[in-house]
Amino acid sequence: MLRITGGKVYDPANGVNGVIRDVCIQDGRIVADVEAGRTINATGMVVFPGGVDVHTHVAGAALNFARAMIPEDHLHSEPFVRTAIRRGGISGATPTTYVTGYLYGGLGYTTVNEAAVPILSARHTHEELRDTPIVDKSTCVLMANNEILLDQLEAGETERARHFLAWCVGAAKAYGVKAVNPGGVTAWKWGKDANTLYELVPGYNKITPAGIIQSLARIVDDLGLPHPLHLHCNNLGVPGNYATTLETLKLVESNRAHIAHIQYHAYGGNDWTTMRSESTRIADYFNAHPNLTADAGAVLFGNTVTITADGPWQHLLYKLTGRKWGNIDVENETGCGVVPYVYKEKNLVNAIQWAVGLEMLLLISDPWRMSLTTDHPNGAAFWRYPEIIELLMNADFRREQIKKLPPKVLERIILPELTREYTLYEIAIITSAGPARSLGLRQKGHLGIGADADVAVFNDIKEARKMFAYPRYVIKGGEVVIEEGEVRKTVEGHSLLTQPFHDPKIADFIRPLFQQYYTMSFDNYPVEMERLEHPDVQPCTQANS
Amino acid sequence: MGGKVSCTLGEVKNRADLIVYWGGNPAECHPRHFTKYSLMPKGRFVPNGRKDRTMILVDIRETASAKAADIFLQVRPAKDFEMITVLRALIKEQPVDTKLVAETGLTLEELTDFAQRLKKAKFGVFFFGMGLSMTRGKHMNSAALLTLAAELNAFTKFVAMPMRGHGNVTGGDVIMRWTTGYPFGVNLARGYPRFNPGEYSTIDLLIRGDTDAVLVLGADPGATMPQPAIDHMVRVPTIVLDPKVTHTSKIARVHITTAVTGISAPGTAYRMDEIPLPLKPPLKSPYPTDEEVIRRIYQAVAKKPPLMPPVRPKVPRV
Amino acid sequence: MSQTIFTLKQRPDVPLEAEVLTPDVVASLSHGEVASLPLFMGKRQFRVDDFFEVNGSGTDNLVFHGDCGRVKWIGRAMSHGRITFSSHAGMHLGAYMKGGIIKVGGDASDWVGGEMSGGLIHIHGHAGGQTGAAYRGSMKGMKGGTILIEGSAGIELGMRMRRGLIAVRGPVRDFAGLQMKGGTILLMSGAEIRTGAWMVRGTIISLKPLKMMPTFSAGCVYNPNFLRLYTKSLAEHGFTTPVDAWHGVYRRYTGDTSVPGKGEILVWSGPAH
Ligand SMILES: [Zn+2]
C-alpha cells in the first residue's frame, strides 16, 4: 500500500489539471484510499501518470543488428556500472536491454510500444523484451510487405487476408499492426522503391501501395484491434513527400490510422537543396480529421543511428552519408536498414528536420492526437525527451535555439512564428494520456480508480529539461522503482498483446504456402505464449466476425 | 566505410540467382545448405530451382563443393583480400595493376568477368567460411567481402553472410549484443561492458595469459586453439560444462556434466541468419542444464563480499 | 627537474589498468595521494602502492622502472608533461594523448597512441599492433602528434589516421596505413603486405621496396623535397634517417583505387642522380 500526498496531480484523462490531491495505490492499482503503508510526501512536486511511448525501437533483430555496428558510440556513451540492484550495460543510441528499462523508468516512462516486429524473428524480440525491466511492452507486427498477405490482396481474397493477418498478430504475440513503406520494401528486394501510391508493386499486377494501405486500415478496424493501423508512409524523409503523406491520409479517411513519426513526412521542395517545411499543410488536414492520431518523430542534434524497416530509404541515407550501412531483408515479410547518423545544427537539411518536428507538435492543436516521440533512435535517443519538452514549454528557449541555425533555414520553416507554449497538463497528455488512448490501453495513461499504478513524480521547477530528466519517484505497478533519480528496484514488466479472431482453418491454408516460401518449420513459426513475460491479453472490440 | 548487408536464408531461397561460396566447403561442412536454402530449392522468384541459379566457388583448392559449382575460381592462399579489393575497384571501373592482379592466381580477364557477373545478378549472395575469415588478414578479409557486397548494391541487390561453425555461435553473439552492446570480445571486469577484439577475445587472452581462471561453455578450445592458449588453460583453474568429456575436460580441474541442449534441455538456437528457433527437447536428462549450473555458481559467488568498494572512484572511461 | 618515480614491485599475473597514471592527474597530488590512486586488476580495485614503490610527490614528470608490459593505459589522454619508462610499457600507452612526451626504453604493446591528437611518443624497442590506430568502429585514428619507433611494429599501423607522423625504423607487419585518411607514415625497413590498403588520402614513404596492392597505380619517379623537412624534424627528436633517404628519388604510387582513394605511397628507388 502506498499513498502519494501533497503533490499537484495532472491526470488529463480524468480532467484533473494540477489539483493537489492524494494518489493511493494497492495491489498494483490506483484505489480511492489506503489505510496503511508507505506515504510519499510529494509537496512541491507534480504527479503524472506513467509515461507511454507509442513508437520506439528498443528490441529485436534490427536494433540488435545496429548495436553491433556502433561500438564507437558505445565507447563514448555513459556506462551503466553494475550494482547490487541493477545490471551493467551501455546507454547511448542503442542502449542494452536492461539499461533501456532503467533509462525509460528513469524518465518516468512505464509502457513502451516496440513499433516494428517481423513475425519470423518475433521470438527474438520477445526474448529481448523479457530482458527489458520496469516497463510494460507492446509490439506492432510488420504486415504491409508480407508477400502471403499481398498475394491475398492481389487475388481479391480480402476475407482470407483478414484471417491471415489476425493469425499473424496472434503468432507474433503482437499487440498491433504496422505498415512500413507499403509495397516499397517488397520492391527494395529487387533494389527498387515504391515512390508513388498508384504504381503497381513490382511482381504484382493489381496491387498498389494505395490499395495495401486501404486494405490494412480496414482490416485492422474490422478486427477491432485496440490500436489503429500504425502507418509509416511511403517516401519517408524525401523532400516533397508531404504530397504523398496527404494522399495517404485521404486514403484512410473512413478508417482510423496512427501516422508514425509524422515529422519525416512533412517536407516540401524538390531536392535536398530546395527542401522546406510543409508542416502547415499536413497539420491543417490532420486537425480537421479526428480519425487520425500521430507521433512526432522529432529530431535533436547529435549522434544517433537510424533503424527502419524502410530499406530503400536507408540505402539512400548511406549514399548521402558515405558511412556505414547495414541491411537485413526478412524473407516474405519485410526488411530493415541501419545507418549511423549525425544530425548537425549547421546542416540545412538537419536544421529543417529539427524545426519540422517541433512545428508538427505545435501546429497539431489537439494534444490527445499527437504523442511525443523521436522514433527512437532515429531522430534522437528516447532519453533526450526532456530536451524536447523544454522546447515545447518555453518559447524563449526555442527562439534562442533557432538563432543557432544557419540563417538560410529561416525562410524554409515557420517555427519562429509559432508562439504556443505547452502547459504541464498538455505535456501529461502527449507523454502519457494521449499515447495510451491512441494505443487503446485503458489501464494506462491515467490515475483513475482501477488504473495500473504507474506513476511519475517530478520536482515542480521551471526548467523542464531538468524536471523531466530526474523524476523524484517512479512507481511501476505499485512498486517504487526510481527514487531520487536512482534505480531502487527492478520489477518485471508485462507483455501486452491481442489475439484477434481468426478462422482456425486459416492455418491449413498457410501451412503449404509456408513450406513453399519459408525456410523454417511451420510449427516453429508462432511464438509460444510461455516465452512471454507476464502475458496480458488486451481485448479487441470485435470478438469475432 | 562499407557495412553489413544481409538477409534471412529464405530470401536466398526465393530470390538468389547468383550464389558465391567463398572459402567454405558447404558440400562437406554444411551439407543441407545446398538443398534447403541456396542451390536446389525452387523459390518464389526462381521457380526452376538449380536451373535458375548460378553458383561460383572461390577457394584455394578444388574441394568437393567445386563439383556443385558452375564456375570454380582458385585463389592463391592468402590472396583473398587482394582479390576482393581488386573486385571492388573493377565494379567501379577503376584501374588495377594487371601483373599484380595475376599474383592472386586469377587473371584480370577472369576477375573482370566475375565482377560483371556480380553486377548483373538480380539477387546475389556471398556465403563466406573460415577459409576467408581465419586466414591471413582475418577480420579484414571478412570486412572486405562485406564491403564489396554493400557496394554492389549501387548496381543490384547483393548480400553477404558468414557460414558459422557448429553449435549455437550465432545465439551467443546475438545475446551478447543485447546484454552488452557488443557481439564478442567483451570484458565485464569494470562493471560495464568493454569491447576490444585482440585484447579481450578469448584466444588472445589465453595466449597472453591474462586470465587467472577459465570457464568453458559449449566449446572445446582444448581441441582447436593453439598450444600456448592450451598451456595457459592447464596452468590456471579451468572449469568445463559439457554433456560429454572433451579435450578441454581432460586438461581442466573441474568438469561438470550437463544436459544436452536441444535434446534434453530447452532453449533457443539462432540460425546463421539470426532467425531464432525454439528447441523443444524430446528427452529428459538426469543432469542439470548449463543455465542451472551457471545460476548456482552465480548464487554462490553472490554470497561472497563484493570485490569492488560500493562507491567507485571517478576515473576516466577506458 | 623533480620527478615522480614508480618502481613496479612485481609483474602482475592479470594485467593492471592504470589510466590515472598521467601527468594531468598526478602533478598536483602529494606523495600520499599518488600512492593511494586507484588501479584495477580484473574485478578488483587496488592502490598504486600495492604494485608500485612511489618516490617523490606528484609532478608532471613520471618515471617508471621495472617491466610495465602488463600495465595498461598509462598516459591516457595526457596533455602535457613527460613519462619515461626504463623498460617496457603495456597496452594503450598514450591513447587519446593530446600533448607532452612519452619515452619507452623497452618495448610497447598494442594500441600505442590510439586516437592521439598531439604530443610525442618515442619507443626504443618494438611496438605492437594498431599503433596510432582508430578504436574499433571509430572513423578516426591518430589526429596529430608524432610516434617514433626504433624497433619493429605490428599490424594495422596508423589505421584510419587523419594527421600526424609515424616513423618506424624496423620492419612493419601487414596493413600499415589501412584506410588512412591523412598524415604521414615513414617505413625505414619496409612492411610485409597490404600497405596502404583502402587508403583515401595521406602519404606512406618507404625506404625499402614494398609488396604493393594491385589497386595502386604507379606514377613518376621524383625527389619529393618535403622529405627534407621531415628528416629535419625527426632529427630534432633524435630519430636519424640515412642521408640517401632525403637525397634519393622515389617512385610514386596512388590509390587505393578500390575506394577510390587519392593516397600516395612513395617508394625509394635509388640515390639522386
Ligand atoms: Zn520507427
Side-chain angles (χ1 to χ4, degrees):
Chain A
M1 278 184 283
L2 180 68
R3 176 187 298 273
I4 304 164
T5 190
K8 232 193 259 178
V9 176
Y10 291 86
D11 180 12
N14 295 301
V16 179
N17 185 359
V19 180
I20 295 181
R21 59 158 69 173
D22 288 3
V23 173
C24 296
I25 293 167
Q26 190 168 359
D27 302 326
R29 306 262 166 184
I30 305 286
V31 293
D33 202 4
V34 286
E35 272 156 25
R38 181 179 174 187
T39 298
I40 289 175
N41 183 355
T43 308
M45 303 177 201
V46 299
V47 179
F48 270 36
V52 177
D53 198 331
V54 70
H55 185 111
T56 183
H57 303 280
V58 289
L63 188 87
N64 211 33
F65 189 71
R67 288 189 180 108
M69 274 182 68
I70 50 167
E72 72 284 8
D73 181 77
H74 304 336
L75 185 61
H76 298 113
S77 75
E78 188 63 24
F80 269 62
V81 176
R82 181 175 176 273
T83 68
I85 297 163
R86 63 166 211 215
R87 294 182 50 151
I90 294 286
S91 169
T94 57
T96 51
T97 54
Y98 289 91
V99 172
T100 299
Y102 308 148
L103 283 169
Y104 261 119
L107 288 182
Y109 271 70
T110 47
T111 305
V112 299
N113 180 40
E114 160 56 57
V117 181
I119 314 163
L120 192 62
S121 59
R123 184 175 281 106
H124 174 169
T125 308
H126 288 297
E127 289 200 332
E128 282 198 38
L129 291 177
R130 255 186 115 105
D131 282 357
T132 309
I134 298 178
V135 287
D136 289 342
K137 284 92 45 165
S138 61
T139 61
C140 287
V141 71
L142 294 159
M143 293 303 305
N145 294 283
N146 184 301
E147 285 156 20
I148 295 180
L149 184 84
L150 298 191
D151 289 349
Q152 303 320 305
L153 297 178
E154 170 97 350
E157 297 277 1
T158 45
E159 183 154 333
R160 192 181 273 153
R162 188 179 75 232
H163 288 300
F164 174 71
L165 183 138
W167 182 89
C168 290
V169 172
K173 298 295 175 282
Y175 179 79
V177 175
K178 167 95 174 282
V180 171
N181 187 356
V185 180
T186 307
W188 169 243
K189 291 180 172 176
W190 298 118
K192 300 189 178 77
D193 195 0
N195 298 318
T196 69
L197 295 177
Y198 298 100
E199 237 168 71
L200 291 173
V201 176
Y204 292 90
N205 298 316
K206 288 188 189 137
I207 54 170
T208 59
I212 300 172
I213 293 164
Q214 279 186 314
S215 305
L216 283 175
R218 203 172 300 140
I219 291 172
V220 168
D221 283 358
D222 287 351
L223 290 171
L225 286 167
H227 183 49
L229 176 65
H230 197 105
L231 181 56
H232 159 141
C233 300
N234 299 66
N235 284 332
L236 174 138
V238 180
N241 64 7
Y242 80 96
T244 310
T245 310
L246 282 178
E247 275 181 73
T248 308
L249 300 185
K250 284 177 195 154
L251 288 170
V252 293
E253 231 163 31
S254 49
N255 291 99
R256 301 174 302 158
H258 177 88
I259 309 303
H261 36 72
I262 200 162
Q263 177 276 129
Y264 286 106
H265 302 277
Y267 306 149
N270 301 316
D271 53 34
W272 299 108
T273 54
T274 56
M275 179 172 159
R276 62 174 194 276
S277 163
E278 286 293 358
S279 54
T280 312
R281 294 209 215 200
I282 301 290
D284 285 350
Y285 183 94
F286 189 93
N287 284 335
H289 291 82
N291 62 315
L292 300 172
T293 60
D295 64 81
V299 156
L300 289 170
F301 299 117
N303 264 309
T304 191
V305 56
T306 64
I307 305 172
T308 160
D310 202 337
W313 162 247
Q314 291 295 59
H315 186 243
L316 181 67
L317 204 58
Y318 161 62
K319 284 196 286 187
L320 291 171
T321 60
R323 284 184 64 185
K324 303 181 215 178
W325 173 46
N327 186 82
I328 341 170
D329 288 343
V330 178
E331 61 207 62
N332 311 304
E333 292 182 12
T334 182
C336 121
V338 176
V339 178
Y341 194 78
V342 190
Y343 291 97
K344 296 182 183 133
E345 206 163 54
K346 296 296 173 209
N347 174 297
L348 187 72
V349 170
N350 296 160
I352 294 170
Q353 293 178 305
W354 175 85
V356 173
L358 297 172
E359 288 171 9
M360 292 309 307
L361 278 156
L362 294 165
L363 287 170
I364 289 180
S365 48
D366 179 4
W368 284 97
R369 296 200 282 126
M370 181 60 158
S371 300
L372 174 62
T373 69
T374 53
D375 188 18
H376 165 80
N378 289 293
F382 67 82
W383 43 265
R384 297 183 66 190
Y385 286 173
E387 296 173 46
I388 301 175
I389 297 175
E390 175 88 54
L391 287 161
L392 295 176
M393 294 187 75
N394 185 342
D396 288 337
F397 178 69
R398 215 153 59 212
R399 270 188 288 276
E400 288 307 306
Q401 300 307 305
I402 292 171
K403 280 187 197 153
K404 297 181 189 164
L405 305 181
K408 266 201 294 190
V409 171
L410 299 179
E411 61 207 46
R412 317 282 188 92
I413 60 174
I414 59 150
L415 189 62
E417 299 157 32
L418 305 180
T419 53
R420 180 176 169 193
E421 288 183 335
Y422 268 69
T423 61
L424 280 177
Y425 187 71
E426 287 175 316
I427 295 296
I429 297 173
I430 64 165
T431 60
S432 175
R437 185 177 287 182
S438 162
L439 282 168
L441 290 168
R442 283 175 225 151
Q443 301 291 102
K444 301 289 182 192
H446 71 102
L447 300 172
I449 292 176
D452 288 350
D454 302 345
V455 189
V457 181
F458 303 98
N459 278 329
D460 192 2
I461 53 169
K462 190 111 190 54
E463 288 153 293
R465 234 177 328 172
K466 286 193 187 141
M467 169 176 177
F468 289 101
Y470 303 102
R472 294 290 298 270
Y473 302 95
V474 178
I475 291 115
K476 169 64 183 57
E479 306 267 4
V480 180
V481 290
I482 306 281
E483 231 173 302
E484 310 299 340
E486 295 266 324
V487 177
R488 289 293 157 89
K489 191 166 188 187
T490 59
V491 298
E492 294 175 349
H494 287 230
S495 305
L496 305 164
L497 66 152
T498 57
Q499 300 267 274
F501 172 81
H502 62 83
D503 178 355
K505 287 202 287 286
I506 192 74
D508 301 330
F509 170 76
I510 306 168
R511 186 183 294 271
L513 289 175
F514 192 90
Q515 274 155 0
Q516 195 179 339
Y517 297 140
Y518 279 80
T519 50
M520 174 199 247
S521 119
F522 183 63
D523 297 326
N524 284 338
Y525 190 52
V527 179
E528 306 79 2
M529 194 65 102
E530 313 83 79
R531 287 184 173 256
L532 270 61
E533 180 185 52
H534 310 297
D536 192 343
V537 179
Q538 302 293 305
C540 295
T541 52
Q542 218 100 333
N544 54 55
S545 53
Chain B
M1 272 291 294
K4 195 177 160 201
V5 182
S6 188
C7 66
T8 67
L9 287 166
E11 286 293 288
V12 176
K13 168 178 161 175
N14 286 326
R15 294 169 194 269
D17 61 343
L18 178 66
I19 294 159
V20 181
Y21 285 96
W22 200 305
N25 182 7
E28 281 169 348
C29 304
H30 295 83
R32 275 153 41 93
H33 212 261
F34 285 157
T35 50
K36 249 189 117 177
Y37 309 122
S38 63
L39 266 195
M40 311 313 287
K42 295 188 165 109
R44 183 185 271 256
F45 302 102
V46 275
N48 304 310
R50 182 67 183 89
K51 275 193 220 120
D52 288 341
R53 309 185 201 255
T54 303
M55 174 185 153
I56 299 176
L57 177 74
V58 183
D59 209 341
I60 54 166
R61 69 188 106 79
E62 202 168 336
T63 61
S65 298
K67 278 191 214 77
D70 297 297
I71 299 169
F72 169 59
L73 297 174
Q74 187 163 12
V75 58
R76 285 213 186 112
K79 286 287 180 188
D80 302 86
F81 181 84
E82 283 75 6
M83 176 169 166
I84 298 165
T85 302
V86 167
L87 288 168
R88 283 185 59 199
L90 291 177
I91 62 165
K92 293 173 212 152
E93 287 163 15
Q94 293 292 316
V96 294
D97 184 307
T98 314
K99 238 168 71 195
L100 291 173
V101 166
E103 290 182 10
T104 62
L106 294 153
T107 63
L108 182 57
E109 289 68 43
E110 283 171 307
L111 288 184
T112 307
D113 174 68
F114 189 24
Q116 285 312 312
R117 286 175 187 275
L118 297 175
K119 282 166 84 168
K120 280 197 191 128
K122 275 202 219 127
F123 186 114
V125 55
F126 292 125
F127 288 113
F128 59 98
M130 308 231 279
L132 183 72
S133 58
M134 297 306 283
T135 52
R136 189 166 180 177
K138 290 190 176 166
H139 65 278
M140 284 312 299
N141 295 348
S142 313
L145 201 64
L146 292 170
T147 305
L148 174 61
E151 289 179 344
L152 280 165
N153 282 273
F155 309 99
T156 182
K157 186 83 194 175
F158 224 102
V159 299
M161 224 184 287
M163 306 273 287
R164 297 305 239 317
H166 297 280
N168 191 9
V169 186
T170 308
D173 182 315
V174 166
I175 292 174
M176 286 295 275
R177 255 147 57 200
W178 87 58
T179 52
T180 73
Y182 305 113
F184 54 84
V186 181
N187 179 327
L188 295 166
R190 297 284 286 265
Y192 62 90
R194 293 183 293 169
F195 170 70
N196 199 16
E199 182 177 9
Y200 303 139
S201 26
T202 315
I203 195 159
D204 301 282
L205 286 170
L206 293 178
I207 288 174
R208 278 196 306 270
D210 283 356
T211 66
D212 55 4
V214 180
L215 177 72
V216 181
L217 185 62
D220 190 7
T224 53
M225 283 199 182
Q227 197 56 42
I230 295 173
D231 292 345
H232 188 67
M233 286 189 282
V234 175
R235 243 184 337 256
V236 299
T238 296
I239 303 148
V240 176
L241 270 57
D242 209 287
K244 56 189 184 310
V245 172
T246 64
H247 289 87
T248 319
S249 315
K250 288 176 190 154
I251 57 166
R253 306 263 174 100
V254 180
H255 168 102
I256 301 172
T257 305
T258 52
V260 186
T261 305
I263 294 177
S264 47
T268 308
Y270 281 77
R271 213 163 66 176
M272 60 179 273
D273 56 353
E274 301 193 358
I275 293 300
L277 300 171
L279 300 174
K280 299 169 179 166
L283 302 173
K284 277 208 159 39
S285 168
Y287 299 107
T289 62
D290 291 331
E291 189 186 354
E292 198 182 327
V293 174
I294 297 290
R295 197 183 298 280
R296 280 161 63 185
I297 293 175
Y298 178 79
Q299 282 162 354
V301 173
K303 282 190 200 126
K304 298 195 166 189
L307 295 169
M308 286 278 192
V311 178
R312 290 172 201 239
K314 261 250 165 284
V315 290
R317 176 79 191 272
V318 292
Chain C
M1 199 165 136
S2 59
Q3 298 177 329
T4 315
I5 300 168
F6 299 84
T7 308
L8 190 68
K9 293 175 183 171
Q10 90 226 23
R11 195 172 183 273
D13 284 347
V14 171
L16 267 181
E17 297 184 0
E19 61 271 19
V20 291
L21 296 182
T22 74
D24 298 65
V25 174
V26 168
S28 60
L29 303 181
S30 68
H31 175 268
E33 286 167 331
V34 175
S36 66
L37 283 170
L39 296 182
F40 300 89
M41 183 197 240
K43 295 185 289 181
R44 292 168 177 82
Q45 185 182 324
F46 292 93
R47 289 162 52 103
V48 164
D49 58 4
D50 288 331
F51 285 91
F52 291 95
E53 201 83 63
V54 182
N55 281 300
S57 58
T59 66
D60 62 3
N61 189 358
L62 316 186
V63 177
F64 289 86
H65 294 304
D67 177 359
C68 295
R70 289 170 76 76
V71 186
K72 296 179 181 179
W73 294 107
I74 293 177
R76 180 196 177 278
M78 69 186 270
S79 64
H80 67 281
R82 173 183 275 267
I83 301 179
T84 313
F85 292 83
S86 61
S87 175
H88 308 314
M91 269 192 210
H92 309 287
L93 174 71
Y96 308 112
M97 180 176 179
K98 299 189 261 286
I101 297 173
I102 297 178
K103 295 216 172 215
V104 182
D107 300 337
S109 187
D110 302 341
W111 302 99
V112 170
E115 300 192 9
M116 75 188 279
S117 56
L120 169 73
I121 302 178
H122 194 160
I123 316 264
H124 286 270
H126 308 297
Q130 292 89 16
T131 298
Y135 281 104
R136 298 294 175 204
S138 163
M139 314 281 279
K140 289 179 189 165
M142 183 173 176
K143 290 178 273 293
T146 305
I147 300 177
L148 307 175
I149 300 163
E150 301 288 347
S152 64
I155 62 166
E156 297 176 3
L157 178 90
M159 182 235 292
R160 295 184 203 152
M161 75 185 280
R162 295 288 176 119
R163 267 196 295 280
L165 169 67
I166 303 178
V168 191
R169 191 178 304 284
V172 173
R173 290 184 52 205
D174 304 2
F175 293 113
L178 176 68
Q179 290 175 295
M180 193 172 170
K181 281 204 169 164
T184 307
I185 295 178
L186 174 63
L187 306 169
M188 291 177 62
S189 306
E192 291 194 26
I193 54 172
R194 299 167 184 169
T195 307
W198 303 4
M199 73 190 285
V200 182
R201 276 183 301 277
T203 306
I204 298 174
I205 303 152
S206 178
L207 304 190
K208 289 274 150 61
L210 281 182
K211 178 85 235 160
M212 294 299 297
M213 285 287 293
T215 43
F216 277 80
S217 311
C220 56
V221 172
Y222 77 123
N223 176 249
N225 47 23
F226 68 87
L227 286 184
R228 286 157 208 243
L229 287 172
Y230 277 115
T231 19
K232 231 176 120 191
S233 87
L234 287 171
E236 281 166 20
H237 298 306
F239 193 91
T240 53
T241 43
V243 175
D244 276 355
W246 48 281
H247 281 306
V249 290
Y250 288 77
R251 168 83 58 196
R252 183 172 185 269
Y253 296 86
T254 53
D256 182 322
T257 64
S258 73
V259 176
K262 294 194 196 96
E264 58 174 4
I265 299 183
L266 306 176
V267 182
W268 190 79
S269 63
H273 308 296

